[in-house]
């Protein structure tokens, strides 16, 4: 019966290969390697929310332009625009807070990263 034994100490190998692959060292904190990824995910999600705002604004504008004097449709369009604007403000606030937190955590752990463009 053949028994396959794993190598007991691969830390040195991972310390050599990890930085080349853009990952933290084997002896470092694995959560530090995830920080740039978290920043990128936040940037993508908030970017998609910006696209949703644009689509809602266009939709509300089309409703308003095709209302033909119907006050109910005009009020609906104004309501959509107000809601979309509040959503944009909340999204920008979330982006600012997330960018601040990710950059401060990155500074504290030695991994400089922001949500505005990936890892450095």
């Amino acid at each position: 019966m053949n028994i396959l034994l794993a190598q007991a100490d691969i830390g040195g190998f991972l310390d050599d290969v990890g930085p080349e692959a853009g990952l933290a060292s084997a002896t470092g904190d694995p959560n530090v390697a995830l920080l740039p990824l978290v920043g990128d995910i936040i940037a993508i999600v908030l970017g998609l929310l910006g696209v949703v705002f644009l689509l809602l604004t266009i939709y509300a504008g089309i409703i308003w332009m095709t209302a033909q004097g119907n006050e109910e449709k005009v009020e609906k369009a104004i309501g959509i625009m107000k809601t979309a604007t509040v959503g944009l403000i909340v999204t920008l606030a979330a982006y600012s807070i997330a960018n601040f937190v990710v950059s401060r955590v990155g500074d504290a752990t030695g991994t400089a990263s922001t949500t505005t463009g990936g890892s450095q």
Side-chain angles (χ1 to χ4, degrees):
M1 177 162 145
N2 293 335
I3 298 174
L4 181 62
L5 299 175
Q7 196 172 1
D9 183 24
I10 62 170
F13 174 72
L14 291 179
D15 284 337
D16 294 337
V17 176
E20 293 292 326
L23 302 173
S25 68
T27 58
D29 185 10
N31 293 330
V32 172
L34 294 177
L35 187 61
L37 178 65
V38 170
D40 291 342
I41 291 171
I42 291 171
I44 291 169
V45 169
L46 293 176
L48 290 175
L49 288 175
V51 171
V52 169
F53 167 75
L54 177 66
L55 293 175
L56 282 172
T57 303
I58 291 171
Y59 174 67
I62 290 171
I63 289 176
W64 195 335
M65 290 179 3
T66 58
Q68 298 178 351
N70 186 349
E71 290 297 322
E72 186 176 306
K73 283 188 175 182
V74 171
E75 292 298 321
K76 178 181 176 184
I78 290 173
I80 292 172
M81 284 187 185
K82 285 181 181 178
T83 305
T85 302
V86 169
L88 178 67
I89 291 169
V90 169
T91 301
L92 290 175
Y95 181 81
S96 299
I97 292 168
N99 193 15
F100 176 78
V101 169
V102 169
S103 68
R104 293 298 179 227
V105 170
D107 290 344
T109 59
T111 309
S113 176
T114 61
T115 59
T116 58
S119 60
Q120 296 177 344

